[in-house]
Amino acid sequence: MLSAVAYFFQKLIQPLKFIILICLIISIVLTPFNRVNAKENDSSPKDNEIHARFAAVIDADTNRLLYGKNADTKAPMASTTKIMTLITALEICPDDYIATTSAYAASMPDVQLNAVKGEQFSIKDLYYSLVLRSHNDTAVIIAENTAYYYICSLTDKERNELTFDISFINDYSYNSHFIENISKEQSKALVLVFTNLMNRKATSLGCNSTHYITPNGLDASDDADIHSTTAYELAVVMSYCIKNEHFLSITQTHDYSFTSLSGRKYSVSNANAFLNMYDNIISGKTGFTGDAGYCYVCAYRDNDRTFIVALLACGWPDNKTYKWSDAKRLLDYTRASYTNQDILICPKVFNIKIKNGSKSSIDILFDKKLSACISDNDNVEVVYNIPSSITAPVNNECIIGNVCVNINDKEIQRYNIYCNENIKKVSFISKITQKVKKL
């Protein structure tokens, strides 16, 4: 009887063994398959998927690098230079300034507006020629005239402190025809003043690897370096430029017509085709030279995010469209991977003890707000470096601490904490005296 029961269970278990064996085989086969799929579904662009030799995407609100491919390597930047040319002129010249064409400016190589020596324009019209069609002669006209206006606006002391030879300017009262008759060397001197202003602006933005030699981006070198930047720093410059509404308005224009003071008519159209190829592009500038290859920088903005894409050495002829596919690939990635999140929201009050002061403590209000584009893989940390006590005397210009925001152990923002009032030092004897008087 027992042998019959054992035989029955043995027959019952055999199919179960077969089923378990099949499940194990399926598990072994599918496990590596699932791992490959997970890797393939990773949306982060691989370097070999991006044509540009140098590329960067940043969060324009914090200038944090979100994607980089050789992003800190210096390279020629071609006509993407002209975004700095434009913002420098916008911040110096009034819109009604009359710009005059020099012989040197008229001699610039293609692409040209084909302005002639002595021809005059409202400088605001030339801005559209500069960035929409990337005219090289226009860049020099703007540079010379902006430098001349800048020099005329300086005080005698400030002019004496310039390290450039501007002795050919004898009269510092503005003359709209002055530039018409200057020599080639004098034109170059004015351009040098202007590119110095460009480099000064770059340094103020923290772009210490950027070196401007020409206002139009033509390949050039001097004793210091070649005309160059990095993909990351080009993105930082664009991040700064788009905070200027006039800059945005000009670079978003599709078509523009204007007339020189002599009555000659001009029309320009925007070469930034990406404005119509990808939603929410708010600015951009193309460029090409033999050394730089195709270059591109653009800004994307939706409801709460602003991304900057910068591409250098993005192919040579016949690869003119590489910059569009790279820009699309990088924006698709950042849009899918990063959301805008609040990092600093609620105001905080810190009570700080005062040693040897006329007050025993003060309340410091910290009410800064900060949001940034964050991915699921980012580690965000807010560090409050606030002392528990300080020693008098202190004044309202005294830095007593700071608040640091770190993402992935890298500082992206620092806020100094200042004392909000003047507190005199009080000696121990004075304190005793005051207490005795109260008694």
Side-chain angles (χ1 to χ4, degrees), residues 370-422:
L370 178 69
S371 61
C373 290
I374 307 295
S375 75
D376 292 338
N377 299 320
D378 286 329
N379 177 41
V380 181
E381 180 185 27
V382 180
V383 180
Y384 295 91
N385 300 305
I386 311 296
S388 59
S389 64
I390 56 177
T391 302
V394 289
N395 57 55
N396 55 14
E397 295 180 353
C398 179
I399 298 174
I400 59 176
N402 59 65
V403 176
C404 297
V405 178
N406 304 319
I407 300 181
N408 302 331
D409 298 323
K410 185 174 182 179
E411 184 180 298
I412 65 160
Q413 190 64 265
R414 176 188 289 253
Y415 300 99
N416 287 328
I417 304 294
Y418 294 86
C419 181
N420 55 8
E421 56 183 297
N422 297 319

Side-chain angles (χ1 to χ4, degrees), residues 6 29 158 176 231 304:
V29 171
E158 289 169 333
S176 64
D304 57 3

Side-chain angles (χ1 to χ4, degrees), residues 74 202-211 233:
K74 297 179 70 171
T203 300
S204 73
L205 299 177
C207 298
N208 298 314
S209 294
T210 297
H211 185 59
E233 291 190 359

Side-chain angles (χ1 to χ4, degrees), residues 81 85 88 102 104-106 108 136-148 150-151 164-166 168-169 179 182-199 212-217 220 222 227:
T81 297
T85 304
T88 302
S102 70
Y104 177 64
M108 288 296 109
N136 292 321
D137 52 351
T138 298
V140 177
I141 298 170
I142 291 172
E144 290 177 351
N145 283 270
T146 302
Y148 177 54
Y150 169 76
I151 293 168
F164 310 102
D165 182 11
I166 56 169
F168 60 92
I169 306 177
I179 288 179
I182 61 176
S183 68
K184 180 178 179 180
E185 292 307 313
Q186 290 168 343
S187 285
K188 288 183 176 181
L190 287 176
V191 170
L192 188 59
V193 171
F194 184 81
T195 54
N196 180 66
L197 293 171
M198 295 169 69
N199 284 314
Y212 296 109
I213 301 174
T214 68
N216 46 29
D222 59 16
H227 185 88

